Amino acid sequence: PLHRVLGEAVLPFPPALAEVTLGIGCGRRVILRSYQEEEADSSVRAMVTEMSIGEEDFQQLQAQEGAAITFCLKEFRGLLSFAESANLSLSIHFDAPGRPAIFAVKDTLLDGHFVLATMSESDLHSPAPHRLVPPLQAHSTPHLDDFANDDIDSYMIAMETTVDSEGSRAGPSIPLSPGLRPPCSPGPYSEDNDAEPSTEPGTPPPKKFRSLFFGSILAPAHSPPGPSPVLAEDSEGEG
Amino acid sequence: FLFQEKIITASFYNWVSAMVAKLAKICTLRISPQTLNFILSDKVAGGGVSMWCELEQENFFSEFQMEGVSAENNAIYLELTSENLSRALKTAQNARALKVKLTNKHFPCLTVSIELLSVSSSSRIVTHDIPVKVIPRKLWKDLQEPTVPNSDVSIYLPVLKTMKSIVEKMRNLSSHLIIEANLSGDLNLKIETELVCVTTHFKDLGNPPLASEDASQDRDPEQMAEVRIDIRKLLQFLAGQQVNPTRAVCNIVSNKLVHFDLLHEDVSLQYFIPAFS
């Protein structure tokens, strides 16, 4: 399963490494490579680690040689261990650098989409924070609002995890100047535009791992009798 | 200066660097046709601690090629962060094959290339590029094997794990430790503070045969030779020893130096701690 292939693939990388690049290399091999920002002080260089996996280890690979995206390794490790623990099938969908990458997990009971931002071409050459866009509205994931009064056995958990972007950087923190280009805009993707809090220029925005939608794909007819159990309480309390 | 390529496949190289990584954050790797050495010669930063670790390349590598600067100076000296090397080699624990090459990818690197065992037909390859600094020839003289001074006492060490747990506890009480030993197989670890004195006695350790018929012959076997050292340096040395060595000797030069001479199967490790001044 893909989560195991990738779960093993991330092991050689240093635990503190912030970002990783995933791409297709020569001979249609899938490459994971540690991403290091260019340090001004070049006397201390970081080790570069690369893992190369043959196409045969993947059930399906549809990508061009040379395609590559760079994203947060810590989030990726988290989702891999989640997929591993629940033995979910995993598929990865990505586009050009800068566009979000979707990591879809699935089994008979649930369907989840993890959305991670990827570094854009200009990000890759200059130190800049990256920021996650609001989630994609995928066809199988219901709106948060639709389930406010739902009595069928489907549940939704929206998780927001805020990771301090400074904490997850391996190198020294890089001060931003107010003139830096703004983070990539949501573009045509977000319909559920739960507006991100705008950040002040000059401070690195917190990385928000925006939403993880779980939607049950069981049809209503199969709902068990009795009140549906609350499986995970809204952490904001007062339900 | 030219970069030379060498191709090595190794079997038990990994635990060597795990040991070295604990002893020296940054160390020098010296590559010569017969041997590989890990060197720490940190006069100032390490407080005078020196380390010289030597292994015969033919015991470890099935293929070894190198080319030094010139015929008379047939060696390569590389400075690297030991933790990078030990992390790279840790990946090799379940490897089918491992190769180490000196490369130049924008900057000089020791490239460790590991082919992993894989359930599928295609192999997985991990590559680690460890940045290294090539040390110019004019600095090589500072990186030679330290001369082993004539010691007053030479004694076999007790089990290192035991020594380590004792020194760890002593460390809470004092920053210095006295190590003393005699030619009757007695070794003591002593700390002395205003409040307390603690001594741990090891007996019947045995002494290696004397190297030469010199002044040691006249030495009273009961007389202790002692040296006061920084306890953290001793602890750092002991912390690096995961496995009990095949042979472990301690040489004391009174009030000057303690020299640990270990042999782990085919790897020799020498560690010098100067007297605390």
Side-chain angles (χ1 to χ4, degrees), chain B residues 43-108:
Chain B
K43 295 286 171 264
V44 176
V49 166
S50 308
M51 174 185 80
W52 180 269
C53 178
E54 182 160 311
L55 51 102
E56 305 281 318
Q57 57 86 358
E58 65 185 9
N59 293 330
F60 292 89
F61 309 132
S62 59
E63 208 185 298
F64 186 91
Q65 275 173 24
M66 68 140 300
E67 217 181 285
V69 180
S70 62
E72 310 86 57
N73 296 295
N74 200 10
I76 300 172
Y77 287 70
L78 303 172
E79 188 179 279
L80 50 83
T81 302
S82 346
E83 197 205 329
N84 285 343
L85 185 57
S86 68
R87 188 183 315 129
L89 294 173
K90 189 174 178 196
T91 321
Q93 277 168 352
N94 289 318
R96 213 179 254 160
L98 178 148
K99 274 191 208 169
V100 182
K101 262 202 265 200
L102 187 55
T103 57
N104 189 7
K105 305 182 174 185
H106 307 297
F107 47 85

Side-chain angles (χ1 to χ4, degrees), chain A residues 29 48-50 52 56-57, chain B residues 120 122-125 127 129:
Chain A
R29 290 190 70 89
V48 173
T49 299
E50 182 178 290
S52 159
E56 307 74 51
D57 282 1
Chain B
S120 71
S122 76
S123 57
R124 291 191 207 163
I125 300 173
T127 314
D129 292 320

Side-chain angles (χ1 to χ4, degrees), chain A residues 155-236:
Chain A
Y155 53 90
M156 170 104 60
I157 305 161
M159 275 168 29
E160 279 193 27
T161 313
T162 305
V163 176
D164 179 29
S165 65
E166 298 218 321
S168 63
R169 284 189 178 277
S173 60
I174 297 148
L176 294 181
S177 62
L180 203 62
R181 4 164 257 102
C184 38
S185 66
Y189 290 125
S190 76
E191 294 166 28
D192 181 25
N193 205 352
D194 191 18
E196 292 237 335
S198 57
T199 55
E200 291 151 26
T203 60
K207 273 190 204 167
K208 278 187 162 167
F209 178 30
R210 196 64 194 188
S211 288
L212 163 60
F213 288 108
F214 285 91
S216 170
I217 55 174
L218 293 176
H222 296 146
S223 64
S228 57
V230 175
L231 291 160
E233 284 229 291
D234 178 345
S235 61
E236 297 295 348

Side-chain angles (χ1 to χ4, degrees), chain A:
Chain A
L2 183 61
H3 59 72
R4 191 155 307 131
V5 171
L6 293 175
E8 286 167 5
V10 295
L11 288 177
F13 293 88
L17 183 65
E19 277 106 19
V20 73
T21 303
L22 170 69
I24 315 298
C26 298
R28 297 185 58 73
R29 290 190 70 89
V30 175
I31 312 272
L32 270 172
R33 191 158 209 266
S34 57
Y35 174 77
Q36 306 285 354
E37 285 178 352
E38 283 294 308
E39 297 281 340
D41 167 22
S42 59
S43 64
V44 179
R45 289 186 186 276
M47 180 160 107
V48 173
T49 299
E50 182 178 290
M51 163 72 86
S52 159
I53 308 170
E55 188 183 2
E56 307 74 51
D57 282 1
F58 298 90
Q59 271 183 328
Q60 191 182 50
L61 180 64
Q62 275 175 351
Q64 302 269 26
E65 272 189 26
I69 48 164
T70 301
F71 52 83
C72 179
L73 177 60
K74 287 197 174 147
E75 311 281 11
F76 186 48
R77 284 198 216 251
L79 85 87
L80 284 177
S81 72
F82 171 68
E84 172 82 33
S85 65
N87 202 23
L88 305 168
S89 76
L90 170 68
S91 58
I92 303 177
H93 310 273
F94 63 93
D95 198 344
R99 299 277 273 244
I102 309 166
F103 299 82
V105 293
K106 198 180 169 86
D107 76 357
T108 51
L109 292 177
L110 60 81
D111 201 343
H113 290 73
F114 291 73
V115 182
L116 290 182
T118 64
M119 293 177 86
S120 67
E121 294 288 348
S122 48
D123 286 338
L124 292 168
H125 296 298
S126 62
H130 45 273
R131 171 189 155 135
L132 297 167
V133 296
L136 286 191
Q137 193 62 34
H139 62 92
S140 59
T141 50
H143 268 284
L144 193 57
D145 293 340
D146 291 350
F147 289 82
N149 298 311
D150 209 332
D151 62 356
I152 66 168
D153 186 31
S154 67
Y155 53 90
M156 170 104 60
I157 305 161
M159 275 168 29
E160 279 193 27
T161 313
T162 305
V163 176
D164 179 29
S165 65
E166 298 218 321
S168 63
R169 284 189 178 277
S173 60
I174 297 148
L176 294 181
S177 62
L180 203 62
R181 4 164 257 102
C184 38
S185 66
Y189 290 125
S190 76
E191 294 166 28
D192 181 25
N193 205 352
D194 191 18
E196 292 237 335
S198 57
T199 55
E200 291 151 26
T203 60
K207 273 190 204 167
K208 278 187 162 167
F209 178 30
R210 196 64 194 188
S211 288
L212 163 60
F213 288 108
F214 285 91
S216 170
I217 55 174
L218 293 176
H222 296 146
S223 64
S228 57
V230 175
L231 291 160
E233 284 229 291
D234 178 345
S235 61
E236 297 295 348
E238 182 58 57

Side-chain angles (χ1 to χ4, degrees), chain B residues 171-192:
Chain B
R171 192 237 164 99
N172 295 328
L173 298 170
S174 170
S175 55
H176 307 128
L177 175 141
I178 295 171
I179 182 166
E180 60 177 22
N182 62 21
L183 291 170
S184 299
D186 299 323
L187 182 139
N188 297 332
L189 299 173
K190 282 202 308 206
I191 54 168
E192 291 169 346

Side-chain angles (χ1 to χ4, degrees), chain B residues 116-178:
Chain B
L116 294 174
L117 299 173
S118 171
V119 285
S120 71
S121 56
S122 76
S123 57
R124 291 191 207 163
I125 300 173
V126 181
T127 314
H128 294 282
D129 292 320
I130 302 168
V132 296
K133 205 154 65 166
V134 181
I135 297 181
R137 192 152 37 105
K138 61 179 188 254
L139 296 177
W140 291 5
K141 60 177 167 28
D142 297 329
L143 296 163
Q144 297 311 304
E145 183 168 2
T147 49
V148 181
N150 284 326
S151 50
D152 297 311
V153 167
S154 218
I155 189 167
Y156 289 118
L157 285 168
V159 172
L160 295 181
K161 271 209 175 77
T162 311
M163 248 182 105
K164 177 180 152 197
S165 58
I166 287 166
V167 176
E168 259 168 4
K169 295 186 174 80
M170 286 180 157
R171 192 237 164 99
N172 295 328
L173 298 170
S174 170
S175 55
H176 307 128
L177 175 141
I178 295 171

